[in-house]
Every structure is written in C-alpha cells, then in structure tokens.
Amino acid sequence: MTTIYINNQQVEVPEGSSILEAAQQIGVKIPTLCHLIGHEAQGACRVCVVEVEGAKNLVASCATPVAEGMKVTTNTKLVRQARKFVVEMLLSEHDGDCKVCVRNEDCELKQLAYELGITDLRFEGEKTHRFIDDSTPALVRDSGKCIKCRRCVTVCCEVQGVGSLFPQKRGFQSTISPAFNEDLSHVICVQCGQCSAVCPVGAIVEKDHISAVWKALDDKSKHVIVQTAPAIRAALGECFGYEPGTLVTGKMVTSLRELGFDAVFDTNFAADLTIIEEGMELLTRLKTILVDKKEAALPQFTSCSPGWINFVEAFYPEMIDNLSTCKSPQQMFGALAKTYYANKIGKKPEEIIVVSVMPCTAKKFEAQRPEMTQNGIADVDYVLTTRELGKMIKQAGIIFRDLPDGIMDNPMGVSSGAADIFANTGGVMEAAIRTVYELVTGRELPTEHLHLEPLMGLEGVKIATLKLTDTLAEWKFLEGVEVKVGVAHSLINARKLIERVQKGEVFHFIEVMTCPGGCIGGGGQPRFTDDSVRLKRISAIYKEDEGKKLRKSHENLQIKQLYDEFLGKPLGEMAHHLLHTHYHSRN
Amino acid sequence: MINENSHTQYDVETDEELMNHLNNIIQECKNKPGMLIPILQQTQKLYGYLPEFAIRKISTELQIPFSEVAGIIGFYSFFSTKAKGKNVIRVCQGTACYVRGGKDLLSAFKNVLKVGVGETTKDKKFSLEVSRCFGACGLAPVITINDEVIQRVKSSSVAEIVKSVED
C-alpha cells in the first residue's frame, strides 16, 4: 500500500494506483472527460490535471501513479486556470450548438464548462471538420462534436474486442473513425452502442426513432402497441432522478398508456416463449446426438442479443450453426403481434405498428433485418432506447414521479420471474435451466431461490455444471449427463469462451450478452453506467423476479394459451415459421 | 499486372509473386512484438504504396483491428495508400526549411507539376509530398527526389530540376 496526501487528507491506496483513483476513494472530485474506471488511462483530455509538490508541471491525475508521501492539491489557482483553459480550447474547436444538441440533458463537456465558470468563448478558433455518418441503422456519428477523448475506442477495442473505431490521421486533422474515415456501415461494427453510452458529448448517439413513433401515435388509422424489454424497468427511473436500481415497472406502464399507445405489452412474455422454444431446441440437439447418433451443433449459443449475433456473423461465421435459431424475444413478440394478436382484435398486420422499448441500440439494427419480416411486413417497426423513452415522457409533459402504477395488457402482458432475469448476465441461462431441469426430471431446480449462484454477478466468464439424475421416461437418454453451461458478457469475454470451445472444451449451452452486465448495461440505457450502477440494476431485476409467484417460463398460462390457440406445439410448423430464423456470414 | 514503379524493390513481378513476397514479409515478422510498422514499410517498398487488400491481410494475420492499422498508416506521412508516380518528390516543411523558403518552394512544385500535395501527375511520372524533417536543416530548404537529397533549392530552379529528372 502507498500513502499519499490529497488536499492534506491522508489516503492509503494499493501500489500503482493513480492519483485519480486515490482521490475517488476519499470523495475528492477530479473532473475527467476521457477516463473510464477499470481501463488504462488515456491522458487524452488533460482536464484532470492536479498539482504535485515538487513536480515541475501539473500532472494528469488519471495517468500518474501514486508515490509514497506524495502531496497532491486539486483545488489551486493554477489547477483551476489550467482546467478552464483546457475546456476553453476544447470548446473553441467543438462544432456543436448546445441549444439544439441531442445531448443537452447530459453532456459532460457542457456540464464541466458550467462547473468551471466558463461564460463566454474566448477563443474563436478553426472548427473541427464536421461530417455526419448515419450509414448504420443504429448509430449516428457527428465528427464536429467529437473531442477525441477515445472513450469509444476503449470500449470498442477493450470491452467488445471489435475495434471499429480508432484515431485516424494526426494533429488537427485527426478524427475518431473507422479505418480511413470510412462510414461505419462499411466496416465491421456490431451496433452495440457502448460507444454512445460512454461518449461524453453528442459525437455518437443512437439513431432517432422518437419522431417516427410520435407520427405513428398521431395516425389514428393505426393500432400502435408497445413492448418493453426486461431491463427497462430497472433503469428508466434514472431518467427522472431515481437512484439506479429503482424498479419503476408500474409507472412505466402508466406513462406508456398516457403517451397514447393502444396497448402496453411485455417483451417478457416473449422471453418466456423464448425459453420454451430455445429449451426444446437444446433438448432436440442433445437427442439428435445421443439417441439418433446424428450430428448437431453443440454447444448451443443463445440468440437474444443482436450485437452478439452480428459478432458471430462477422468474426466466427464457422459457428453460425451453434446459434439457436430462435428469434430474439423482441422479434418473437413482433411476429406474434402481427398474427396472433392481430387475429384476436380483428386487424390486418399492416394496421398494427409495433414499437419496442429496448436498452439496446443493436435492436434497431435487428428490427430492420430482412429476415425479421412476414410477407414484407416488419415484425417490429420502431425501436426506442430507454433514453429515448425518457425523452418522450418529458416531451409529453408527463410527471413521471406522480404516476400511479399500471399493469400490462392481455394477452401478451403476463410473464414469469424467469423472463425478468433475461436482463442480467447469466439470466437467460438460469431461466432456461429452471425450465429444462424441471421438464427432464419432473422436479423443481433444487437451488436456493431457484438461482444458479455461479452464473450470477459481473465475472466476465462464468461456468456451471449440473448433473441430471432420476430423469423422466421420455428423457432417459439424459440420465447421468453432466450438463456444462457457460456465460459471457461483453464480447471480449465471448471471444475467450469461444476460444475455449474451439480448443475442444465441451459445453452444452452458452449464453452471451453483448454488453457488460447484460442488457441492464446496454448501449441504450441512461448514462452513466459503471459497475456500481450495473450491480444496482442487477439486484433490482432479481428482486422483481423473486417478488413474483410465477417464477418459471413453462408455468406462464398465457404462453400455454398461445400454444393451445395458435402455435400448436413448441418447434412446430407455426413456431418454426414465426419464431425461428437463420443467420449468415458477414466475413 | 506489371509493376512499373522504379522505387520498388522488385522491378517486374506478377501479382502472384508479389503476394508470395507479402506472405513472406508477414510470416517472418508476425510473431514478434512491435513489428506492424516494419511490415508496413516492407509492404510499401514491395508495392510502391499500401494497397487496401494488403492492409486488410496484415490486419487479419496480425490480429490488429483494421481501424488501428489504418490509424497508424494515417499517422505517418511516409505511408501512402495511393499508387505513386515513377518519381517521388518530397519537399521538407520542417521548421528550418519552412522559414528559409520551403513554403514558396512547395508552391513552385505545385505550379510546375500541376498537382497538389499527395497527388500524382497524370502521366504518372511524379508524386508530390511534404516531409517534416530530413535532419539536414543546415542545408535548408531541402527536397528529396526518390532517395536523393537536394540541398538549398531555389523556387526559380524548380522547373529545371523537374525537367532534368524527366530526361
């Protein structure tokens, strides 16, 4: 441990910690526009400068390791002047108009300029070259607003292992861009939007669907329905000042109804359906191998997370067969809304508009995939991020905090706790095992609160094994089989897990969620998401699950009704047609 | 395709031969750390510039993101992603050369060759580039034509220099 003094206050930190980390430990605030906790310092923005006794110059606190007895001051005239100057220089080339900027509400640069007391622009310098890249369905880049902090580069390379973005050129000409300043659509980008979640300014944002949704709501000839993903209820409150991890399910439902949606449904309903289809798919693959002695791709990969699908298509096309053929819950919901639900209310599919609220930007990409249509009609029409829904509620003048709790509509509004936990890393796997174990053995999963402890939490790669004994007659071929499952979240960890599979380690089922923490940490969630926020949202989701009487997907009566009235049986012809899809190489 | 660039290592080679050379360059270096820049240098020497397919190949084989390789190429003015002319003229714009007439000298080359910086004449005889310093500040302003350094160049003699190279 190393002892240093910050503003005369003693603090002890592990050797090699930065001054910034030491300051955070004792609650001394040092601003930074580039640093991300847990990642190597960039030292790019120079806003975090502090004075160190005996040092010739001010030092960047994010990139300076502590030394025994170091005396640091964070609030001196020199420091204040330097920070102000740095931000003034950033503002001088920042080509953005704060009055009409999409990041007005939570722009870190604007907030810092305010905190540093910058009230006029002293330097009218040349502006950054501005170009707009709206070539992808999910993200929009505005180079004029970019302050080159490189946070997006850090998440794209180190968290996701994708590497779409990197500094190009040098000096004043430098931009943070795909190779050779190409459009994002011309390079590999999985559309996860983690870049947009960490960008301190409005240089990368999700593609706006708010205007299209307002237009649909204003069109009285359309029946406009909405589905909300499991992760929204644990994060939407943050848009209205609630603490991270506050569950706002009931207020969310009421707010959607007040926005004018004709029906408010739950993606969770489709998550329960996914468990039935995906669980049966896994059992079928096992049966193909063990009983029919034929080939089937194992381990089966989950297919709920569209960024992960894009990742497999681009980097591991040889493993596409391992992906479950199940559409994601968003797309299953859309396909049913325009068939099963449309029949029930006597509407044609083209009269129904399906809007999703997702914690995700890649869902915007997924919704426009040509595979996700029936007779040329998209399953899902528009996808709002959690942040976009927050904005719409404010635009409508709805006082969110004052809303009474509402409940979802039928027949696609009931869901089990197993569906809730789709939002957390490890959740889909746990939900699937709750059902598959019980189906095969006739007994409830014998774990505390039905949880699978080894699959919970923020460890990057998680593994669990489960031995199947006393199986029912139909599943005798699984007697004594030790099922091994793996879970990874953030794509760099998915890479690690895939490499283990490719080296020959045997797994039966693997869950991958693109974003750190799972969907609760999605690229479309309220800013700013760090591990402490992730953990709070995760525990809120488990609370939602544990608070329900209905904890297992196969006990959801609305799902039983759906099969009885419409789909027939799991993996049946109708299910195959509406709920399953295929993927292709993008390499 | 016949490669006609005089400043490449190999004068006449087929695509296949070039590709074999590229493979050798990559295989020799790929498992040593910090070899990206030497590989790019050798590749540029091979082709006369860095073709996109070669950059993609290097990125894949070294498992370095394409954007990162492109970023490094863009950072160094020595690297070029465009095919160059038979002769490459580099005009130094380092501090010493700049203050001793380097700026006017560059304008003179632009006028005589009728191309901008980074461009190649229509007849593919000349490419014009700027450089930051050749370490010959005492001889400012300095230019290089291919590997030859020419010192204390006057704007008035630019046309003559170009003609002498053409002949």
Side-chain angles (χ1 to χ4, degrees), chain A residues 150 152-153 157 163-169 175-179 181, chain B residues 65-72:
Chain A
R150 306 187 184 199
C152 56
V153 178
C157 296
S164 309
L165 299 169
F166 203 79
Q168 305 293 319
K169 301 200 172 176
T175 59
I176 309 297
S177 287
N181 287 330
Chain B
F66 186 50
S67 65
E68 189 173 337
V69 180
I72 285 159

Side-chain angles (χ1 to χ4, degrees), chain A residues 218-233:
Chain A
D218 288 339
D219 182 348
K220 292 304 160 210
S221 71
K222 300 287 186 198
H223 184 78
V224 187
I225 64 172
V226 65
Q227 56 165 325
T228 55
I232 314 301
R233 58 212 73 190

Side-chain angles (χ1 to χ4, degrees), chain A residues 267-575:
Chain A
T267 312
N268 290 22
F269 167 83
D272 277 334
L273 182 60
T274 302
I275 288 301
I276 308 298
E277 291 289 326
E278 201 163 333
M280 283 309 290
E281 185 185 357
L282 176 67
L283 290 170
T284 306
R285 288 186 192 213
L286 287 167
K287 195 174 176 191
T288 306
I289 293 169
L290 295 171
V291 178
D292 306 340
K293 309 289 180 200
K294 287 187 187 151
E295 276 188 25
L298 276 186
Q300 178 173 301
F301 294 157
T302 56
S303 58
C304 309
S305 182
W308 157 240
I309 300 287
N310 294 343
F311 186 76
V312 174
E313 288 181 323
F315 293 103
Y316 297 97
E318 71 278 14
M319 302 202 85
I320 284 177
D321 286 345
N322 293 69
L323 284 169
S324 162
T325 60
C326 287
K327 288 183 182 175
S328 71
Q330 154 170 285
Q331 297 303 139
M332 283 196 184
F333 177 92
L336 291 171
K338 294 191 177 180
T339 51
Y340 171 64
Y341 174 68
N343 290 345
K344 271 192 184 292
I345 60 165
K347 298 256 183 209
K348 292 184 201 141
E350 53 269 35
E351 291 171 319
I352 295 180
I353 300 273
V354 176
V355 176
S356 310
V357 185
M358 294 284 143
C360 184
T361 55
K363 288 281 173 194
K364 290 179 190 262
F365 176 90
E366 183 187 50
Q368 58 81 60
R369 288 182 73 118
E371 299 90 349
M372 304 297 170
T373 54
Q374 305 293 327
N375 306 319
I377 297 172
D379 295 340
V380 172
D381 296 280
Y382 305 113
V383 180
L384 297 168
T385 61
T386 316
R387 297 189 290 260
E388 287 182 293
L389 175 60
K391 278 187 190 167
M392 282 189 78
I393 293 169
K394 286 174 192 168
Q395 284 172 19
I398 295 166
I399 311 297
F400 190 81
R401 282 180 167 263
D402 293 348
L403 293 176
D405 286 347
I407 54 165
M408 305 269 184
D409 289 310
N410 290 324
M412 299 195 284
V414 171
S415 63
S416 73
D420 286 308
I421 60 173
F422 265 58
N424 293 347
T425 164
V428 174
M429 186 59 74
E430 182 179 314
I433 290 177
R434 283 184 197 174
T435 288
V436 169
Y437 186 87
E438 195 163 324
L439 198 66
V440 170
T441 66
R443 303 184 304 274
E444 188 171 77
L445 184 67
T447 56
E448 200 175 340
H449 303 299
L450 294 175
H451 290 318
L452 284 166
E453 200 69 36
L455 303 183
M456 299 168 85
L458 288 178
E459 192 62 43
V461 174
K462 296 170 280 189
I463 311 278
T465 52
L466 194 70
K467 196 164 184 172
L468 298 172
T469 52
D470 296 325
T471 47
L472 296 176
E474 193 189 343
W475 308 104
K476 271 294 169 223
F477 66 92
L478 290 172
E479 184 63 34
V481 169
E482 193 155 78
V483 178
K484 186 167 168 186
V485 299
V487 167
H489 58 116
S490 87
L491 296 171
I492 195 105
N493 292 321
R495 244 184 224 286
K496 290 178 195 159
L497 196 49
I498 291 185
E499 276 164 19
R500 285 170 69 167
V501 171
Q502 289 185 328
K503 279 188 186 141
E505 193 171 340
V506 173
F507 288 92
H508 298 95
F509 198 14
I510 283 178
E511 172 209 287
V512 176
M513 295 192 192
T514 305
C515 292
C519 308
I520 53 90
Q525 291 281 56
R527 299 179 184 94
F528 191 93
T529 304
D530 57 20
D531 275 355
S532 74
V533 172
R534 287 185 190 104
L535 287 169
K536 285 176 190 164
R537 292 182 190 152
I538 283 174
S539 75
I541 290 290
Y542 283 126
K543 206 171 105 194
E544 183 90 335
D545 163 36
E546 287 163 14
K548 281 186 180 170
K549 271 197 184 134
L550 179 59
R551 299 283 306 285
K552 303 166 216 159
S553 299
H554 57 280
E555 289 176 356
N556 183 340
L557 292 175
Q558 283 195 347
I559 297 289
K560 281 187 179 156
Q561 185 190 355
L562 170 69
Y563 279 109
D564 290 345
E565 288 180 13
F566 185 69
L567 286 176
K569 59 179 187 357
L571 304 183
E573 197 188 324
M574 184 70 115

